Amino acid sequence: MKKITLLFLLVATTISFAQEKEVAYPQDVNKKYELKLNAFSLIVFSSLDVSYEYLLNKDSSFGVGVFYNFSDINDDLYYPKKFSITPYYRWYFTETRFARGFFVEGFGMLNTYEDINYYYYYYDNNGNYIENNEVYKETNFALGVSVGGKFIIKSGFTAEIYLGVGRNLFNNSSNDNDYLENDLITRGGISLGYRF
Protein backbone atom coordinates (compact mmCIF):
# COMPACT_ATOMS: atom_id res chain seq x y z
CA MET A 1 0.00 0.00 0.00
CA LYS A 2 2.86 2.40 0.80
CA LYS A 3 4.41 1.79 -2.64
CA ILE A 4 1.11 2.49 -4.40
CA THR A 5 0.60 5.70 -2.40
CA LEU A 6 4.16 6.81 -3.12
CA LEU A 7 3.74 6.05 -6.82
CA PHE A 8 0.42 7.93 -6.90
CA LEU A 9 1.98 10.99 -5.22
CA LEU A 10 4.93 10.90 -7.60
CA VAL A 11 2.67 10.77 -10.68
CA ALA A 12 0.34 13.48 -9.30
CA THR A 13 3.30 15.74 -8.52
CA THR A 14 4.77 15.23 -12.00
CA ILE A 15 1.44 16.01 -13.69
CA SER A 16 0.85 19.10 -11.55
CA PHE A 17 4.35 20.45 -12.33
CA ALA A 18 3.82 19.82 -16.05
CA GLN A 19 0.44 21.56 -15.99
CA GLU A 20 1.86 24.46 -14.00
CA LYS A 21 4.58 24.92 -16.60
CA GLU A 22 2.09 24.91 -19.47
CA VAL A 23 -0.59 27.11 -17.91
CA ALA A 24 1.48 29.42 -15.72
CA TYR A 25 0.09 32.41 -17.60
CA PRO A 26 -2.30 31.09 -20.28
CA GLN A 27 -3.75 34.53 -20.97
CA ASP A 28 -0.30 35.76 -22.11
CA VAL A 29 -0.41 33.65 -25.27
CA ASN A 30 -3.42 35.58 -26.59
CA LYS A 31 -1.99 39.03 -25.79
CA LYS A 32 0.61 39.85 -28.43
CA TYR A 33 0.56 43.66 -28.65
CA GLU A 34 1.94 46.32 -26.31
CA LEU A 35 1.69 50.11 -26.27
CA LYS A 36 4.13 51.92 -23.98
CA LEU A 37 5.01 55.43 -22.83
CA ASN A 38 8.49 56.30 -21.55
CA ALA A 39 7.66 58.09 -18.29
CA PHE A 40 11.32 58.98 -17.66
CA SER A 41 11.65 61.00 -20.90
CA LEU A 42 8.33 62.70 -20.31
CA ILE A 43 9.22 63.85 -16.80
CA VAL A 44 12.94 64.66 -17.16
CA PHE A 45 13.28 65.91 -20.75
CA SER A 46 9.72 67.09 -21.56
CA SER A 47 9.83 64.62 -24.45
CA LEU A 48 7.27 62.22 -25.84
CA ASP A 49 8.64 58.69 -26.29
CA VAL A 50 6.05 56.07 -27.26
CA SER A 51 6.57 52.56 -28.56
CA TYR A 52 4.66 49.63 -29.99
CA GLU A 53 5.83 46.04 -29.52
CA TYR A 54 4.60 42.83 -31.16
CA LEU A 55 5.32 39.58 -29.31
CA LEU A 56 6.44 36.83 -31.70
CA ASN A 57 6.62 34.10 -29.04
CA LYS A 58 7.65 33.73 -25.41
CA ASP A 59 11.30 34.36 -26.29
CA SER A 60 11.26 37.25 -28.76
CA SER A 61 9.49 40.36 -30.00
CA PHE A 62 10.00 43.29 -32.31
CA GLY A 63 8.81 46.86 -32.07
CA VAL A 64 9.33 50.49 -32.94
CA GLY A 65 9.71 53.58 -30.76
CA VAL A 66 9.14 57.23 -31.71
CA PHE A 67 10.77 60.06 -29.73
CA TYR A 68 10.10 63.80 -30.02
CA ASN A 69 11.64 66.52 -27.84
CA PHE A 70 9.29 69.45 -27.10
CA SER A 71 11.91 71.44 -25.15
CA ASP A 72 13.14 74.78 -26.42
CA ILE A 73 16.80 74.89 -27.35
CA ASN A 74 17.43 77.55 -24.68
CA ASP A 75 15.96 75.54 -21.77
CA ASP A 76 18.28 74.64 -18.90
CA LEU A 77 17.52 70.89 -19.17
CA TYR A 78 17.61 70.85 -22.98
CA TYR A 79 18.42 67.45 -24.46
CA PRO A 80 19.95 67.84 -27.95
CA LYS A 81 18.21 64.81 -29.49
CA LYS A 82 15.17 66.30 -31.23
CA PHE A 83 13.59 63.30 -32.97
CA SER A 84 14.19 59.59 -33.46
CA ILE A 85 12.55 56.47 -34.86
CA THR A 86 13.91 53.25 -33.34
CA PRO A 87 13.02 49.78 -34.62
CA TYR A 88 14.21 47.00 -32.28
CA TYR A 89 14.28 43.23 -31.79
CA ARG A 90 14.32 41.66 -28.31
CA TRP A 91 15.33 38.29 -26.89
CA TYR A 92 13.78 37.35 -23.53
CA PHE A 93 15.51 34.96 -21.13
CA THR A 94 12.58 33.26 -19.39
CA GLU A 95 11.51 29.64 -19.12
CA THR A 96 7.75 29.66 -18.51
CA ARG A 97 6.67 33.26 -18.86
CA PHE A 98 5.61 34.88 -22.10
CA ALA A 99 7.97 37.73 -23.16
CA ARG A 100 8.80 39.11 -19.74
CA GLY A 101 11.79 39.30 -17.44
CA PHE A 102 15.38 40.03 -18.46
CA PHE A 103 15.98 40.87 -22.14
CA VAL A 104 18.69 41.89 -24.60
CA GLU A 105 17.78 44.11 -27.53
CA GLY A 106 19.35 45.01 -30.86
CA PHE A 107 18.18 48.31 -32.35
CA GLY A 108 18.62 50.77 -35.20
CA MET A 109 17.92 54.46 -34.68
CA LEU A 110 17.28 57.24 -37.18
CA ASN A 111 18.05 60.30 -35.04
CA THR A 112 18.11 64.07 -35.41
CA TYR A 113 20.11 66.32 -33.08
CA GLU A 114 19.88 70.10 -32.71
CA ASP A 115 22.02 72.39 -30.56
CA ILE A 116 23.63 75.84 -30.40
CA ASN A 117 27.31 76.59 -30.84
CA TYR A 118 28.31 79.85 -29.16
CA TYR A 119 31.14 81.26 -31.28
CA TYR A 120 31.98 84.39 -29.34
CA TYR A 121 30.42 87.19 -27.34
CA TYR A 122 31.32 90.80 -26.61
CA TYR A 123 29.98 94.14 -25.40
CA ASP A 124 29.42 96.80 -28.02
CA ASN A 125 30.18 100.54 -27.63
CA ASN A 126 26.83 101.09 -25.89
CA GLY A 127 27.52 98.35 -23.33
CA ASN A 128 25.06 95.88 -24.90
CA TYR A 129 25.91 92.20 -24.65
CA ILE A 130 26.26 90.66 -28.14
CA GLU A 131 26.64 86.96 -28.77
CA ASN A 132 27.24 85.32 -32.10
CA ASN A 133 25.98 81.75 -32.34
CA GLU A 134 24.54 79.27 -34.76
CA VAL A 135 22.04 76.42 -34.50
CA TYR A 136 23.43 73.13 -35.74
CA LYS A 137 21.39 70.17 -36.93
CA GLU A 138 22.51 66.64 -37.66
CA THR A 139 20.64 63.56 -38.88
CA ASN A 140 22.20 60.14 -38.60
CA PHE A 141 21.49 56.42 -38.30
CA ALA A 142 22.85 54.30 -35.46
CA LEU A 143 23.06 50.62 -34.53
CA GLY A 144 23.24 49.50 -30.92
CA VAL A 145 22.29 47.13 -28.10
CA SER A 146 20.26 47.51 -24.91
CA VAL A 147 19.60 45.42 -21.81
CA GLY A 148 16.65 45.61 -19.46
CA GLY A 149 13.81 43.94 -17.66
CA LYS A 150 10.05 43.82 -18.19
CA PHE A 151 7.41 43.17 -15.55
CA ILE A 152 3.72 42.49 -16.15
CA ILE A 153 0.68 41.93 -13.96
CA LYS A 154 -2.25 39.70 -14.86
CA SER A 155 -4.47 42.61 -15.87
CA GLY A 156 -2.02 43.40 -18.70
CA PHE A 157 -0.23 46.49 -17.40
CA THR A 158 3.52 46.46 -17.99
CA ALA A 159 6.57 48.25 -16.63
CA GLU A 160 10.05 48.03 -18.05
CA ILE A 161 13.43 49.57 -17.45
CA TYR A 162 16.18 49.50 -20.08
CA LEU A 163 19.46 51.12 -21.03
CA GLY A 164 21.48 50.88 -24.22
CA VAL A 165 24.19 52.43 -26.31
CA GLY A 166 24.84 52.63 -30.04
CA ARG A 167 27.09 54.26 -32.60
CA ASN A 168 26.10 56.56 -35.44
CA LEU A 169 27.24 55.24 -38.80
CA PHE A 170 27.58 58.44 -40.82
CA ASN A 171 29.07 61.91 -40.48
CA ASN A 172 26.58 64.22 -42.17
CA SER A 173 26.30 67.20 -39.84
CA SER A 174 25.34 70.56 -41.33
CA ASN A 175 28.40 72.34 -39.91
CA ASP A 176 32.00 72.55 -41.00
CA ASN A 177 33.71 72.17 -37.65
CA ASP A 178 31.85 69.04 -36.46
CA TYR A 179 30.62 70.82 -33.34
CA LEU A 180 27.59 68.56 -32.97
CA GLU A 181 29.08 65.33 -34.24
CA ASN A 182 27.51 62.60 -32.09
CA ASP A 183 29.31 59.29 -32.52
CA LEU A 184 27.71 57.58 -29.51
CA ILE A 185 23.98 57.63 -28.84
CA THR A 186 22.03 56.36 -25.85
CA ARG A 187 18.67 54.66 -25.49
CA GLY A 188 16.95 54.15 -22.18
CA GLY A 189 14.02 54.79 -19.95
CA ILE A 190 11.35 53.60 -17.59
CA SER A 191 8.25 52.72 -19.62
CA LEU A 192 4.70 52.01 -18.55
CA GLY A 193 2.31 50.27 -20.90
CA TYR A 194 -0.49 47.85 -21.58
CA ARG A 195 -0.47 44.43 -23.23
CA PHE A 196 -3.55 43.41 -25.21
Side-chain angles (χ1 to χ4, degrees):
M1 184 66 174
K2 289 181 183 179
K3 290 181 181 180
I4 293 173
T5 305
L6 184 61
L7 183 62
F8 175 78
L9 288 174
L10 182 63
V11 170
T13 304
T14 305
I15 291 172
S16 67
F17 276 123
Q19 286 180 347
E20 184 180 339
K21 187 170 184 179
E22 289 178 13
V23 297
Y25 290 91
Q27 71 275 17
D28 286 356
V29 177
N30 298 321
K31 296 181 177 182
K32 296 193 177 240
Y33 312 97
E34 284 185 18
L35 286 176
K36 297 173 281 188
L37 173 67
N38 188 337
F40 182 80
S41 290
L42 187 64
I43 294 168
V44 175
F45 300 120
S46 300
S47 303
L48 183 64
D49 188 359
V50 294
S51 60
Y52 163 81
E53 187 173 347
Y54 177 73
L55 310 176
L56 298 170
N57 52 46
K58 73 179 185 68
D59 298 320
S60 63
S61 68
F62 69 87
V64 64
V66 177
F67 173 92
Y68 185 78
N69 187 351
F70 292 102
S71 297
D72 185 78
I73 202 165
N74 294 314
D75 288 350
D76 291 338
L77 288 176
Y78 180 73
Y79 184 55
K81 184 166 72 171
K82 193 67 177 172
F83 174 77
S84 70
I85 296 177
T86 309
Y88 58 86
Y89 183 83
R90 288 182 176 173
W91 298 271
Y92 290 90
F93 296 92
T94 54
E95 289 291 325
T96 60
R97 312 237 174 143
F98 196 79
R100 65 175 73 187
F102 177 72
F103 63 82
V104 174
E105 166 188 285
F107 68 87
M109 181 187 290
L110 178 66
N111 56 81
T112 301
Y113 281 77
E114 184 176 286
D115 208 352
I116 292 180
N117 182 17
Y118 295 95
Y119 282 125
Y120 58 89
Y121 56 90
Y122 62 94
Y123 290 93
D124 66 8
N125 293 337
N126 296 326
N128 297 321
Y129 176 78
I130 306 294
E131 95 183 359
N132 187 3
N133 54 60
E134 187 175 347
V135 175
Y136 289 111
K137 295 181 182 179
E138 174 184 321
T139 300
N140 216 319
F141 185 79
L143 294 175
V145 294
S146 301
V147 296
K150 180 184 289 186
F151 311 94
I152 183 168
I153 58 175
K154 289 184 180 180
S155 61
F157 288 98
T158 66
E160 66 182 35
I161 183 167
Y162 58 96
L163 184 63
V165 66
R167 181 170 292 279
N168 280 320
L169 302 178
F170 310 106
N171 181 10
N172 61 351
S173 68
S174 62
N175 56 64
D176 295 330
N177 62 357
D178 295 330
Y179 166 73
L180 193 60
E181 184 178 335
N182 292 296
D183 289 334
L184 291 179
I185 55 100
T186 57
R187 169 169 160 76
I190 301 170
S191 292
L192 304 174
Y194 185 71
R195 181 179 289 187
F196 57 96

